[in-house]
Amino acid sequence: MIKGTIISLAAALAFSVSSFAYSEEEKVLNVYNWSDYIDPDVIPEFEKETGIKVVYDVFDSNEVLEAKMLSGKSGYDIVAPGSDFLSRQIQAGVYLPLDKSKLSNYKNLDEEQMKMLASLDKDNTYAIPYQQGSTGIAYNKKMIAARLGEDFTVDSWDVFFKPEILSKLKDCGVAVLNAPTEVVATAMNYLGKNPTDSDPRAYKEAEELLLKMSKNVTYYHSSQNINDLANGDICITLGWSGDMMQARDRAREAGNGVEIEYVVPKEGALVFYDMMAIPKDAEHPDNAHKFLNFILRPEIMAKISSYVAYANAVTPSIPLVKPEVRDNPNIFLTPEKKKKIFLMEVLPQKVTKEINKIWNRVKSE
Ligand code: N2P
């Protein structure tokens, strides 16, 4: 009898402590996501439904996010690293394992892609895929035709890596992502080398190629190219697929006559998955799980992909994505395009260090 009372007392106490802890979590969620990466209605919808106030900050560089994460105190509840960066950050122990019992919509994720992502996040322990895109070339059709001829087809990285071509575009504005890991990998791939070689000495030729390219580059920036391309302030950019489609939409909305094309060049392009994970020091992990579960709903994920023009891995969302995005072979890649792409693998720190050194030299060229 006494034993029974003690047990039920203990159970009651445990219950009240856990419900206390649960109700104690402040109704706040600090999100750190890429810029231009969500439908602006999604956050207010989440806030309205849950009563959780979202503080939404943005970044446009994996390297910047990584520096924050490795400093140990991010101050965020949700962050969105690229899958290769995520993998290295997992090894550094900066994330909380997901509590999948709180993610009833987890089942919506495409099994095949999750299996592939498990090579970077074992058993998909720490993260869910948010959006997926490629790193290719976008250009202003009329400006390029005026300089390279009506018959010139932009379908090769030659445009960036052959100075005799790129120099003809210098006057109309050439932008390159300020994304050292991706741009160096792109140069390696163009040279027929392993884009994720683990030997720092393998990157010499890529550096030379980029140094030559840099003579004709107007600026390095990872989000300014959207508006600049839409407004006709640059004529070509090495850019992210969905962002470039957003540029096209903005030009159309403005009715300014700017026509934009995006291509995955024939030599291939890097494909990335941006993931969402919960930092270990998150102050609102329950709210974070609620947010992840919310965006895993087919109609919410479809809304996001329709707006940002990136693909996603929530299978039942695909039929709900607007046809212009869903049927765009550069966004939801066709099997034909899939043959030409490559995924980043985790780079050892010594390679990242070398890439950063190369990048500083390239940018100051
Ligand atoms: C969103 C860009 C995210 C793609 N604007 C690069 N990871």
Side-chain angles (χ1 to χ4, degrees):
M1 179 59 199
I2 289 181
K3 200 172 157 203
T5 314
I6 289 174
I7 288 173
S8 53
L9 259 179
L13 193 68
F15 176 75
S16 62
V17 166
S18 71
S19 60
F20 175 73
Y22 190 76
S23 60
E24 250 326 76
E25 191 166 289
E26 205 187 356
K27 289 252 177 204
V28 171
L29 179 71
N30 298 306
V31 177
Y32 196 39
N33 195 8
W34 294 82
S35 49
D36 301 290
Y37 221 23
I38 198 156
D39 178 319
D41 292 341
V42 165
I43 297 295
E45 224 173 301
F46 174 76
E47 290 180 320
K48 198 167 158 219
E49 191 178 300
T50 59
I52 295 166
K53 164 98 190 83
V54 177
V55 182
Y56 192 86
D57 290 346
V58 295
F59 62 94
D60 67 5
S61 152
N62 263 314
E63 286 79 4
V64 167
L65 170 61
E66 178 148 294
K68 268 206 178 130
M69 289 312 302
L70 299 183
S71 79
K73 254 198 105 40
S74 74
Y76 292 106
D77 300 306
I78 299 263
V79 294
S83 54
D84 48 322
F85 280 82
L86 167 90
S87 194
R88 196 163 59 187
Q89 292 155 21
I90 288 173
Q91 287 163 24
V94 298
Y95 291 115
L96 207 64
L98 296 176
D99 180 348
K100 291 182 187 157
S101 72
K102 291 183 183 156
L103 302 175
S104 55
N105 295 321
Y106 192 86
K107 58 177 189 303
N108 294 333
L109 287 162
D110 175 57
E111 243 175 70
E112 203 182 305
Q113 294 178 76
M114 293 311 283
K115 224 182 260 167
M116 194 266 297
L117 289 167
S119 67
L120 295 158
D121 169 17
K122 196 169 173 298
D123 300 326
N124 308 114
T125 305
Y126 294 95
I128 61 155
Y130 177 65
Q131 300 286 305
Q132 182 257 308
S134 59
T135 306
I137 300 174
Y139 60 98
N140 178 314
K141 271 168 84 175
K142 290 181 205 153
M143 285 176 164
I144 298 296
R147 285 160 183 82
L148 300 178
E150 290 290 340
D151 295 334
F152 189 91
T153 315
V154 181
D155 63 354
S156 161
W157 284 111
D158 285 348
V159 184
F160 270 92
F161 296 134
K162 290 208 161 138
E164 61 273 28
I165 305 179
L166 196 62
S167 58
K168 294 196 179 116
L169 306 176
K170 192 176 181 177
D171 76 294
C172 58
V174 175
V176 170
L177 294 170
N178 189 15
T181 312
E182 290 184 43
V183 180
V184 169
T186 299
M188 290 290 277
N189 179 63
Y190 174 75
L191 292 167
K193 294 176 183 289
N194 172 6
T196 55
D197 202 301
S198 57
D199 181 356
R201 289 168 303 185
Y203 291 80
K204 197 72 213 132
E205 229 181 293
E207 173 174 355
E208 280 157 21
L209 191 69
L210 292 171
L211 284 169
K212 277 191 224 143
M213 173 193 81
S214 208
K215 294 194 172 15
N216 297 304
V217 170
T218 316
Y219 67 76
Y220 293 88
H221 195 282
S222 294
S223 43
Q224 196 181 320
N225 58 356
I226 306 180
N227 275 337
D228 286 353
L229 192 62
N231 296 335
D233 293 334
I234 55 171
C235 59
I236 193 158
T237 178
L238 195 158
W240 289 316
S241 51
D243 288 18
M244 303 299 98
M245 294 297 108
Q246 290 178 49
R248 189 169 75 177
D249 290 348
R250 287 182 201 178
R252 283 181 185 163
E253 271 160 34
N256 61 7
V258 169
E259 282 175 52
I260 294 162
E261 286 289 341
Y262 174 80
V263 286
V264 172
K266 62 178 182 225
E267 299 87 356
L270 184 158
V271 151
F272 55 82
Y273 278 84
D274 289 319
M275 311 296 288
M276 278 194 170
I278 307 176
K280 207 170 222 168
D281 64 335
E283 283 178 21
H284 313 98
D286 277 314
N287 297 346
H289 281 88
K290 282 191 187 130
F291 183 76
L292 294 181
N293 205 36
F294 184 75
I295 61 164
L296 286 172
R297 280 188 204 164
E299 60 282 12
I300 300 296
M301 195 45 115
K303 208 178 219 189
I304 298 173
S305 279
S306 298
Y307 190 91
V308 300
Y310 284 96
N312 74 70
V314 173
T315 315
S317 83
I318 315 295
L320 311 174
V321 172
K322 76 173 181 199
E324 202 189 323
V325 171
R326 186 186 58 215
D327 302 334
N328 183 329
N330 284 316
I331 299 177
F332 283 90
L333 297 168
T334 51
E336 186 56 29
K337 300 249 175 211
K338 276 192 186 152
K339 281 189 216 144
K340 303 193 300 187
I341 56 156
F342 64 93
L343 251 184
M344 287 301 288
E345 279 165 32
V346 193
L347 294 173
Q349 279 295 358
K350 59 177 195 247
V351 170
T352 298
K353 264 199 191 140
E354 180 63 22
I355 288 176
N356 289 340
K357 269 195 225 151
I358 292 175
W359 198 243
N360 284 335
R361 291 193 283 263
V362 167
K363 284 205 299 186
S364 55
E365 180 61 35

